[in-house]
Amino acid sequence: MEQPWSEQLHELLKQAQLKRTAGDRAGAVKLLEAAIDPVKAFGTWRYARGTLALELGDVATAIAQFEQAAEREPAVPEFRANLGAALLEQGKQGDPAALQRALEVLQQCASEEPRLPHSHTNLGMAKLVLDDPNGALACFDRALAMDPDHVPSLYNRGAVLKGLGRLPESLAMIERVLKLDPKFQPAIDAKKKLAALLTS
């Protein structure tokens, strides 16, 4: 008997994640693209494909895939949280309409009590791009209330605090990041810069 499509999808996503974790994102994309159409019809397939596209810098594909994921499964705010992140990237590349839409999509996601912190983190990033550091801090705090060890929120909160001139607090955030992920290069670099500023 043929394996149900949902099980095929689950197995495929597991294999793709192994390739992604090993650093072979192109291989993970190839694996996903080889799936049969009924498997590709799942919002989760679109979400996985969009995530890889975003990581590979293909923002247009990421937006298209996240749009379809959200359309297929509108009850999953996390799909729209990643759509917001992709729109934010497009906004950073000089598209003000994408930036405005990112803010709207992410505000909606954050209001729907998502189970994961990403909606709040991505909304914080949008507020930061729109020059609202205090609004960004509030978003990162909401994300950290859901997951105190959420590295992106800790790191970005540290960056905002540095921008606000609150250097000791910023360093404390960066040190928390490095306890969780000692090899996280942006945090290693940030700690060196902060240490230099605090001793100058």
Side-chain angles (χ1 to χ4, degrees):
M1 193 174 83
E2 194 179 356
Q3 192 180 27
W5 292 332
S6 58
E7 287 181 21
Q8 287 183 46
L9 172 68
H10 180 71
E11 190 55 41
L12 178 69
L13 293 176
K14 239 172 40 178
Q15 291 171 26
Q17 182 58 28
L18 287 171
K19 283 192 176 290
R20 180 177 172 241
T21 305
D24 183 11
R25 288 188 176 90
V29 168
K30 198 173 174 184
L31 198 63
L32 288 177
E33 289 293 352
I36 57 172
D37 286 344
V39 170
K40 288 181 179 178
F42 283 90
T44 313
W45 184 93
R46 299 282 170 186
Y47 177 75
R49 182 66 186 86
T51 300
L52 285 164
L54 192 57
E55 289 174 355
L56 290 164
D58 184 355
V59 177
T61 297
I63 290 171
Q65 295 294 348
F66 291 140
E67 293 267 23
Q68 290 184 55
E71 218 173 85
R72 284 171 164 79
E73 297 181 44
V76 184
E78 284 75 19
F79 290 177
R80 280 173 287 120
N82 272 30
L83 170 60
L87 287 163
L88 183 57
E89 284 306 309
Q90 194 172 52
K92 286 181 192 172
Q93 293 168 13
D95 183 342
L99 193 53
Q100 187 54 45
R101 185 157 175 247
L103 185 65
E104 289 163 9
V105 166
L106 291 167
Q107 282 174 328
Q108 180 63 36
C109 288
S111 73
E112 292 175 15
E113 298 183 13
R115 288 172 299 167
L116 299 173
H118 304 86
S119 298
H120 296 294
T121 305
N122 293 347
L123 179 57
M125 293 304 296
K127 286 182 180 283
L128 199 52
V129 171
L130 290 163
D131 201 25
D132 178 9
N134 289 315
L137 274 182
C139 292
F140 298 140
D141 286 344
R142 279 193 289 275
L144 290 167
M146 296 174 79
D147 178 0
D149 294 336
H150 190 240
V151 167
S153 296
L154 288 167
Y155 176 76
N156 288 313
R157 190 175 194 283
V160 175
L161 289 167
K162 182 187 174 196
L164 291 170
R166 294 160 61 179
L167 302 184
E169 290 172 81
S170 175
L171 183 60
M173 286 290 107
I174 298 302
E175 284 176 339
R176 277 179 66 188
V177 170
L178 289 170
K179 272 186 186 169
L180 295 164
D181 186 354
K183 293 180 181 175
F184 186 47
Q185 195 59 47
I188 293 168
D189 297 340
K191 184 174 178 179
K192 282 180 193 165
K193 287 175 187 167
L194 281 163
L197 286 169
L198 284 163
T199 54
S200 62

